């Protein structure tokens, strides 16, 4: 009896992994524009101008008062923009999901939030200067009725002014991320709580808040990282007048300060550490949240 022929796959030689072609552009892009530049910055942070390895650049981050102040101002701006944006975004998300509003309100709000969460840089800075600048529309209108916000101490070109600007994309980002978690709250939980005699406050305190808490904290941390690494909006809005890490890093690498690019690499390395830790905590909280919502 003739032997059965081998399947075509077994007889054929080496086959190109064509099933990877679809994701190859992503990996190439990530390698060229994310992984390799990050490795280059990390290595450069531990080198001097002669290419010798040293810890002087890292040590300078803790010794130089202007650098310490830049990190502190950046952390403060990121913390408050993330915290305020998270609470406002959470309230808006709860209102559009469980507030009994018409369906078109949710669809329009989610559409706007998706666009606004990516609206930053020069257009956003110009929009706020045209609105709340010294000659902005709102400023002029308020001055016309006898209210001079700048005479009352308001100044848009300060840390709190930048926090207000950041809220424009922090609040929509919070809505986009936290809405699926709110959707995961099962109506059966509320019905069971009501059947057992729990009040609305007890239901929120013992069921809703513990379930949403990991998602909320994770999103706050993500908003913190999103604000900490933003440079285009801050630079277009305040120029070099505000001492925050992204602006200081931009000036350092450009050679405007001490002409020491390796100190700029160290600044970038510090930002990578901060945002990396923030993303690790975000993933951890997100994992805990998904256990409840499955």
């Amino acid at each position: 009896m003739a032997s059965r022929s081998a399947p075509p796959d077994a007889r054929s030689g080496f086959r190109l992994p064509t099933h990877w072609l679809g994701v190859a552009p992503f990996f190439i892009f990530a390698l060229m524009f994310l992984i390799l530049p990050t490795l280059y910055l990390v290595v450069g942070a531990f080198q001097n101008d002669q290419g010798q390895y040293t810890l002087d650049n890292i040590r300078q981050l803790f010794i130089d008062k202007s650098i310490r102040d830049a990190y502190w101002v950046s952390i403060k701006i990121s913390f408050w923009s993330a915290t305020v944006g998270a609470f406002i975004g959470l309230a808006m998300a709860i209102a559009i999901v469980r507030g009994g509003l018409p369906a078109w309100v949710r669809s329009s709000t989610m559409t706007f939030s998706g666009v606004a969460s990516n609206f930053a840089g020069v257009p956003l800075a110009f929009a706020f200067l045209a609105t709340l600048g010294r000659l902005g529309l709102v400023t002029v209108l308020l001055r016309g009725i006898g209210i001079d916000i700048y005479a009352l101490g308001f100044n848009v070109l300060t840390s709190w002014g930048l926090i207000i600007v950041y809220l424009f994309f922090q609040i929509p980002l919070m809505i986009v991320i936290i809405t699926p978690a709110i959707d995961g709250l099962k109506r059966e939980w509320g019905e069971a709580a009501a059947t057992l005699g729990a009040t609305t406050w007890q239901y929120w305190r013992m069921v809703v808040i513990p379930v949403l808490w990991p998602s909320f904290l994770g999103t706050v941390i993500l908003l913190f990282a999103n604000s900490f690494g933003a440079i285009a909006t801050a630079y277009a809005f305040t120029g070099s007048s505000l001492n925050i890490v992204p602006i200081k890093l931009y000036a350092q690498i450009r050679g405007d300060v001490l002409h020491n690019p390796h100190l700029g690499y160290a600044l970038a390395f510090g930002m990578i550490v901060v945002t990396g830790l923030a993303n690790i905590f975000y993933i951890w909280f997100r994992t805990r949240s998904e256990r409840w919502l499955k």
Side-chain angles (χ1 to χ4, degrees):
M1 181 182 293
S3 61
R4 183 178 299 177
S5 60
D9 289 344
R11 293 199 309 265
S12 61
F14 175 76
R15 295 185 61 191
L16 292 175
T18 55
H19 54 287
W20 285 95
L21 291 179
V23 295
F26 166 76
F27 287 110
I28 294 174
F29 182 86
L31 180 66
M32 294 181 61
F33 296 98
L34 180 62
I35 299 175
L36 291 180
T38 301
L39 293 176
Y40 178 76
L41 288 174
V42 172
V43 173
F46 294 92
Q47 290 180 329
N48 56 22
D49 293 335
Q50 290 73 38
Q52 300 171 338
Y53 288 95
T54 177
L55 293 175
D56 290 340
N57 299 319
I58 304 299
R59 192 180 301 113
Q60 195 71 18
L61 299 181
F62 301 93
I63 297 176
D64 193 315
K65 185 177 184 301
S66 64
I67 294 178
R68 294 202 313 267
D69 292 342
Y71 272 98
W72 169 244
V73 173
S74 295
I75 291 173
K76 181 179 71 172
I77 292 174
S78 301
F79 172 81
W80 284 113
S81 67
T83 303
V84 176
F87 277 106
I88 296 177
L90 177 64
M92 293 178 63
I94 292 175
I96 64 175
V97 174
R98 303 178 67 88
L101 297 175
W104 65 267
V105 175
R106 171 170 179 165
S107 60
S108 59
T109 303
M110 295 302 296
T111 301
F112 173 80
S113 297
V115 175
S117 61
N118 294 287
F119 184 70
V122 177
L124 179 59
F126 173 77
F128 268 84
L129 288 175
T131 304
L132 292 173
R134 290 188 177 274
L135 296 177
L137 177 62
V138 174
T139 305
V140 173
L141 291 177
L142 291 176
R143 193 177 297 150
I145 60 176
I147 302 175
D148 190 345
I149 58 176
Y150 281 86
L152 296 175
F154 175 79
N155 186 359
V156 73
L157 300 178
T158 60
S159 297
W160 281 103
L162 189 59
I163 290 172
I164 294 174
V165 175
Y166 280 0
L167 288 178
F168 186 86
F169 56 80
Q170 296 281 60
I171 294 174
L173 184 59
M174 178 67 179
I175 295 174
V176 171
I177 296 176
I178 203 65
T179 296
I182 299 174
D183 280 330
L185 297 173
K186 297 179 174 59
R187 294 189 177 275
E188 293 83 355
W189 297 347
E191 295 171 357
T195 301
L196 295 174
T199 62
T200 302
W201 166 242
Q202 288 175 327
Y203 167 66
W204 277 83
R205 181 170 60 88
M206 298 180 180
V207 179
V208 177
I209 293 178
V211 171
L212 289 181
W213 187 243
S215 296
F216 177 79
L217 286 182
T219 309
V220 169
I221 293 173
L222 185 63
L223 295 180
F224 176 91
N226 184 49
S227 175
F228 190 83
I231 179 175
T233 302
Y235 191 81
F237 191 66
T238 64
S240 58
S241 61
L242 193 60
N243 185 29
I244 60 176
V245 178
I247 292 179
K248 199 169 191 67
L249 169 63
Y250 177 68
Q252 187 69 52
I253 293 180
R254 253 191 358 177
D256 293 348
V257 185
L258 298 175
H259 303 280
N260 183 5
H262 291 280
L263 181 57
Y265 299 156
L267 283 167
F269 175 71
M271 293 185 64
I272 291 172
V273 171
V274 173
T275 55
L277 290 174
N279 281 281
I280 289 173
F281 280 109
Y282 166 72
I283 294 172
W284 183 64
F285 281 118
R286 186 65 179 264
T287 303
R288 288 175 58 89
S289 172
E290 289 175 351
R291 292 181 196 169
W292 283 96
L293 299 178
K294 283 183 179 179

